[in-house]
Structure formats: C-alpha cells, structure tokens
Amino acid sequence: MRIALAQTDPRLADVEANLAGIERTVAAALDAGADLAVFPELALTGYRLRDLVPQVALRLDRAGPVRDRLAALSERLPFVVGLVEESADHRFYNAAAWFEDGRLVHVHRKVYLPTYGMFDEAMDFARGRRLAAFDTRFGRAGILICEDLWHPTATTVLALDGAVLVVGIAASPLRGQGVGSADPSHLSGRQLAEVLARFHTVPMVYVNRSGYEEGLAFGGGSFAIGAMGETLAEAPLLEEALVVATVDPDRTRAARAAYPLVRDERPGLLARELRRIARGEGLEADEEDGR
Amino acid sequence: MSGRIEVTSPLELPDLEKLLAGFLREEIGKAGFARAVVGVSGGLDSAVVLLLAARALAPENVLALVLPYRTSSPDSVRDARAVIAVAGTPSEEIDISPMVDAFAAAAGCDDPLRLGNRMARERMALLYDRALRDRALVVGTSNKTELLLGYSTRWGDGAYDLNPVGDLYKAQVRALGAHLGVPRAILEKAPSADLWPGQTDEQELGLTYADADRVLWYLVDQRGRPERAAEELGVPQAAVDRVLRLMTATQFKRNLPLICKVQLRTVGIDFRLPRDWGR
C-alpha cells in the first residue's frame, strides 16, 4: 500500500484556494503511484481561524458544493483531509474526513483540544466524543488529530478496535527548547509516534503542515513508521512536500506474530478499571454531560 | 539542574536561518509586499536582521537605512557599512542631527534620555517614510532579552511591522550572527543603544546579557520559580531581582493600548480575527 504524505501549506480561511490545491495534489499523488493521500489537520481551512471558524465550516451530512467536490475527487484517489465540520445542531469540530470511491467513509472529530500555552482550540471547537476504527478498502484504519496522539490511550483504543493503520494529521507549530541540554520531558512527536507504533504494532503515518500563520511556523517533517517502529518515509522540515511511503501489511503481520501485544491486551479489564476510576473522580457524569 | 546553564540555539543554525528567512518572505508576501526596510545601527541585532532579510527577499528588495546622530560613535557607521557590504543591499545614510536638534531647541529639551527617545522615534519616522515610498514593510530588530526587559523606546525602535529575532535571546542572536557571517567587529563589541557617547546596554540595564539571558530563560521558558533562580543558575540574587523588576515594570510595553469594552465585540479584547485573514 502506497500512501502519499501531502505536506501542504493551506491559505488561512480560503476554502476555494485550498480545495483547488488539494485537487492538484491528489493528481500529483496519483502520478506518484499512491493508493491513498493524507492531508494535514485543517488542510481545507488553515489553522489559526479563531472567529473565522463558523465562516469556513462544512456540513458533511448533506450535499453541498465543497463536500460534493471532495467526494468526487475520491473517485480518483482515496484521501484523508482535515477540515472544520459543522454538525446539524451547529457545533463546530476540528475534524478529519476519509473519502474513498466517491463517498465519505468516516469522520473523526478531534477528541483532545489543546487549550493551554499557545493553543486555544476549546474556545473555538466542540470536543469529539468518539474514538473508533472503521473499514476502508485497505482494511481497518483509525484517524487521530495532532493532540490526540499525545494521549497514548487514543492509539490503544484504535488498535483494540482493529485498526491496522493509524493516520495522524497535524498542524504543529515549531518550537525549540532553547537550551543546549534538551529537556527530557519533551519527547518529539517523532519519538512519540515510534513508541506508539511499537507498543501497538501498528503502522502510523503522520502528516504535519508547513507554512506560516501569525508568526507560527508549522514544521512539516511528516513521516511514516512501520509496525516495528521502523521509518518508512520522511518529508523535509519547513517546506511543502509530497512523499510516498510504502506500508507493507506483511510487515505488520510479522510484527504481530513476533509481539502479540494487541492480542494480549485486556479491554475488559481496562474498561472495568477505567469505570472504577471515572466513577471515583466524578468523570462519568462529566462525559454524560457531553462536555 | 547541574553545571552552568548556557542559553544556546533552540534549533540547528541552518534550520533556524531557514525558519526565520521563510517567516520574513511569507509574512511580508501575505501582507501584499515584496520589500523590506531595516534600520542598521552597526550593532548585532540589526546586522542579523539585515542578513536574514537579504536572504529572504533577495538583496535588491531590502533597503538598509543608516541613521546616525552627531554624537553616535564613528565605529557604529563603520560597522553598519561593513554588514551592508556583506548583505549586498542598497542603503541610504541620513544624519538625524538636524531633526533632533530642532526638536531639542523648540521643545527646550536637553535631557539625554528624552533626546535618546527622540532619536529612536526620528529613526522610526524615517523607516516608515521609506517604507511608504518603496512599498515595503519595516522589519524590527528587538531581541527577546530586550523585549522582556522592556529595553526599547515605545513607538521608536519598538515600532515595526514584523520581527524575526524577537524570540531569540541575545546569546542566540550572536550564535545566529556568527552562522550568517556578521563581521567579527560587530559580534565582539559591547552591545550599545549608542544614544550618548560611551553608553553600553549592560551598564544602563545594571545587568550583563549573559545573566539576563539565563535568568529570563529560566523564568519565562522553563517556568522556574523566581526564588530558586539565583541558586540554580549561579547568578547573583541582585541580577534576578533586577530582571524581575524590569520585566514587571515594562509589561505595558508588550501589549497594545487598552480599549474600554462597551459593546459585544471589541478590538483588542474579543474581536479574534487573525492578521493573516484571507492571506
């Protein structure tokens, strides 16, 4: 399976320009022999939208010119794209859509919205409430958006739900640590994904955008990692790129034969313990409130 | 923490150069411009910014302005010319003495601090005049150490359209300068606002840049506790106190002017539209 990592640089709040760019990139990915193209978080809209979120939001539950163009594009090549999704009751989600064969297969709404330091996503977006794998023409897959990857349990849930591919998309601003002795508490996204791939014996692709918004530089540096943590492909830092990674399902099979970690996971035990902990801390009620 | 902490570059220097040159090129482009104006003092910060701008936009699209006052050190103009030669940009030299002296006479002002502020604002006025004439943006040169200590003239050297070095401490700017080929005389001389003869920043601030950089990095970037800074960093308590005092006293300089909220959506409070809106 050949996956094109489409490390693009969207224009802020210009859906038409970004859609045209996505169409061009899909054509280029096809030329490069890809079976699937993966675009970054909010690739259709740009990242630092704030008050512009409602202006660029897309209804996926009914026909519309942008949704229909995306669906039509997937007749040429399946792809995953980050966008702002508006629900029927007008909540706005930082979401990722998997299109293939002319239809929308799955929408993942970002579950963990970073709202600290330089991030204020929970000001502008509603929290996703589901983590689920889904069937694609390549087998079962799962999608995570940026901060979702920093919560390792999200990958665990997808692996337990049968995902044999995890697609991570991001709009991650570059920020160095500023001192020679690197702070060991800051694992890079790359190290993090290698560990997640190995813990779950699952191939992971990570597509981060490039370009600048409001003084933020998005680092690029997209990559694909195999089920043994091995690097399959990497894109350059700080520039647009289209890199094709080959994910071999046989390598995943071999990894799972050697390390049956997913097989030996204990979802029932985990669910029981999580219920106990959630009850104790009053978090269950919080979830029921849908917050 | 153990051992002496040095504030070094946050990224490999070639990546840092790529990041900052890309920032200038893209953000100037998104604002609808292709040209920049940089005030070149002969000091380190403006030398680094000039070289970055020349690489980002091509030298012919960058104007270097050298704006000495009659008491400015002759070394400043010499060093400014040296870095302009390295950058290969067009330049203009304008003596600001007539404007500043006219102000001093008309306003009855002979206080060196107030005159220094006037010089900084005179330079700002010339930078913006050239920017309008050339359809360019003004690129600022304040580093992170200066920004956090509030060591600038409000609406003088503190006024610009964008700034590639504002998140780099002085030592980091110096490392970048060495990488970019800033002339040695500039890399090695004592930093000075050069607003009166013999002035140095460190004397005026009552702090060395080495101490200021480390204390600021510890307090701001590492979120360290102020009461532990002196011990952990091995710097005098007086330096920590001085940094804290300067940072707190100058917080207003790091914010836009306050606007009184009257209605539902207010500029500067909850009118949250990005600068790059539609660009």
Side-chain angles (χ1 to χ4, degrees):
Chain A
M1 176 186 188
R2 290 165 59 79
I3 303 177
L5 316 180
Q7 184 171 297
T8 56
D9 173 11
R11 273 168 75 103
L12 192 58
D14 191 341
V15 171
E16 178 52 42
N18 295 325
L19 182 53
I22 287 165
E23 288 168 337
R24 281 193 302 275
T25 305
V26 159
L30 262 175
D31 286 346
D35 305 308
L36 172 75
V38 178
F39 290 89
E41 177 179 12
L42 297 175
L44 193 63
T45 61
Y47 179 73
R48 208 147 166 82
L49 295 158
R50 293 184 279 188
D51 281 5
L52 296 174
V53 162
Q55 188 176 310
V56 299
L58 189 61
R59 290 286 293 269
L60 293 171
D61 56 339
R62 62 181 188 198
V66 176
R67 194 203 73 161
D68 295 349
R69 256 169 84 183
L70 288 170
L73 185 62
S74 73
E75 286 172 9
R76 305 182 63 194
L77 185 73
F79 62 90
V80 180
V81 64
L83 45 78
V84 178
E85 185 217 357
E86 179 174 352
S87 64
D89 63 347
H90 312 299
R91 300 182 199 213
F92 304 101
Y93 295 96
N94 180 341
W98 182 303
F99 286 93
E100 68 180 35
D101 301 328
R103 65 194 178 91
L104 177 64
V105 169
H106 184 78
V107 179
H108 171 68
R109 296 167 169 171
K110 190 171 186 175
V111 168
Y112 297 100
L113 299 174
T115 304
Y116 57 81
M118 60 186 293
F119 302 106
D120 51 12
E121 288 187 26
M123 291 262 305
D124 300 313
F125 294 113
R127 289 197 319 192
R129 300 177 62 191
R130 293 217 56 201
L131 278 171
F134 52 95
D135 292 315
T136 76
R137 68 149 91 159
F138 310 104
R140 218 162 153 74
I143 302 176
L144 297 174
I145 305 178
C146 208
E147 189 85 356
D148 292 338
L149 287 160
W150 287 84
H151 294 262
T153 41
T155 304
T156 305
V157 169
L158 294 181
L160 286 171
D161 202 18
V164 288
L165 173 69
V166 172
V167 173
I169 64 173
S172 181
L174 193 148
R175 46 215 193 276
Q177 291 305 307
V179 76
S181 53
D183 179 344
S185 70
H186 285 80
L187 283 172
S188 74
R190 173 69 173 270
Q191 289 169 305
L192 185 80
E194 282 170 10
V195 171
L196 288 172
R198 294 202 66 174
F199 273 162
H200 302 97
T201 48
V202 69
M204 301 190 76
V205 300
Y206 173 87
V207 178
N208 185 28
R209 62 165 287 187
S210 67
Y212 296 77
E213 281 179 8
E214 305 264 287
L216 306 183
F218 298 94
S222 305
F223 53 80
I225 294 170
M228 298 286 271
E230 74 277 21
T231 297
L232 302 174
E234 46 195 334
L237 290 176
L238 293 168
E239 57 191 64
E240 288 192 271
L242 183 70
V243 173
V244 178
T246 301
V247 174
D248 181 355
D250 241 26
R251 297 295 306 156
T252 307
R253 181 174 184 271
R256 292 192 172 192
Y259 298 97
L261 302 172
V262 176
R263 181 197 73 187
D264 294 347
E265 196 47 85
R266 306 279 304 274
L269 179 153
L270 290 178
R272 195 166 65 243
E273 297 302 333
L274 287 173
R275 269 197 304 274
R276 174 182 64 77
I277 292 163
R279 221 170 20 243
E281 296 183 3
L283 299 176
E284 206 162 48
D286 180 60
E287 282 302 316
E288 282 166 6
D289 288 346
R291 280 185 282 122
Chain B
M1 285 177 220
S2 60
R4 186 180 163 87
I5 287 155
E6 297 294 343
V7 178
T8 54
S9 178
L11 293 171
E12 298 293 328
L13 291 169
D15 289 337
L16 184 60
E17 177 189 343
K18 186 175 175 183
L19 165 71
L20 300 177
F23 163 76
L24 287 175
R25 187 169 45 245
E26 291 211 18
E27 293 292 7
I28 289 172
K30 279 193 269 188
F33 293 82
R35 303 172 62 85
V37 179
V38 182
V40 180
S41 67
L44 175 64
D45 301 318
S46 61
V48 165
V49 169
L50 181 69
L51 290 171
L52 284 171
R55 280 166 208 200
L57 305 171
E60 63 271 24
N61 293 320
V62 181
L63 176 67
L65 275 185
V66 185
L67 304 169
Y69 182 67
R70 58 186 160 73
T71 61
S72 297
S73 155
D75 291 352
S76 296
V77 174
R78 183 202 65 197
D79 293 339
R81 289 175 184 158
V83 71
I84 290 165
V86 175
T89 62
S91 65
E92 276 185 70
E93 287 185 22
I94 301 170
D95 178 8
I96 63 168
S97 307
M99 297 86 122
V100 174
D101 291 347
F103 161 78
C109 171
D110 59 2
D111 172 18
L113 181 64
R114 286 164 58 201
L115 283 176
N117 279 343
R118 182 69 195 193
M119 290 173 212
R121 292 184 182 126
E122 209 59 68
R123 291 181 176 122
M124 177 277 293
L126 280 162
L127 288 165
Y128 274 93
D129 174 68
R130 270 22 189 190
L132 182 64
R133 184 193 68 189
D134 297 350
R135 286 202 41 80
L137 291 186
V138 174
V139 183
T141 65
S142 300
N143 62 55
K144 189 170 188 174
T145 315
E146 288 178 344
L147 284 175
L148 288 170
L149 297 177
Y151 190 62
S152 66
T153 296
R154 195 159 162 79
W155 320 126
D157 52 324
Y160 42 77
D161 297 311
L162 73 173
N163 173 354
V165 295
D167 199 22
L168 296 176
Y169 291 112
K170 189 75 183 186
Q172 297 171 325
V173 175
R174 187 172 292 110
L176 180 60
H179 165 75
L180 293 172
V182 169
R184 237 171 100 173
I186 299 176
L187 289 171
E188 289 174 359
K189 71 180 174 184
S192 169
D194 199 18
L195 296 175
W196 52 86
Q199 180 194 22
T200 68
D201 294 357
E202 294 189 337
Q203 194 183 66
E204 202 189 353
L205 285 166
L207 271 170
T208 66
Y209 269 110
D211 283 350
D213 280 0
R214 292 191 296 146
V215 172
L216 289 168
W217 169 80
Y218 178 81
L219 295 176
V220 174
D221 294 67
Q222 298 301 304
R223 299 173 192 259
R225 289 177 188 273
E227 61 273 22
R228 294 183 56 188
E231 188 195 338
E232 292 225 17
L233 298 169
V235 303
Q237 185 60 45
V240 177
D241 294 343
R242 180 89 182 126
V243 166
L244 281 168
R245 205 159 48 241
L246 286 170
M247 260 209 298
T248 347
T250 59
Q251 181 59 13
F252 72 97
K253 287 192 177 182
R254 290 179 290 274
N255 288 278
L256 287 171
L258 288 179
I259 290 172
C260 183
K261 186 166 180 64
V262 180
Q263 305 195 67
L264 190 59
R265 275 181 100 192
T266 309
V267 172
I269 299 177
D270 48 14
F271 183 67
R272 299 168 61 248
L273 285 167
R275 177 178 164 134
D276 292 349
W277 181 11
R279 299 197 180 267

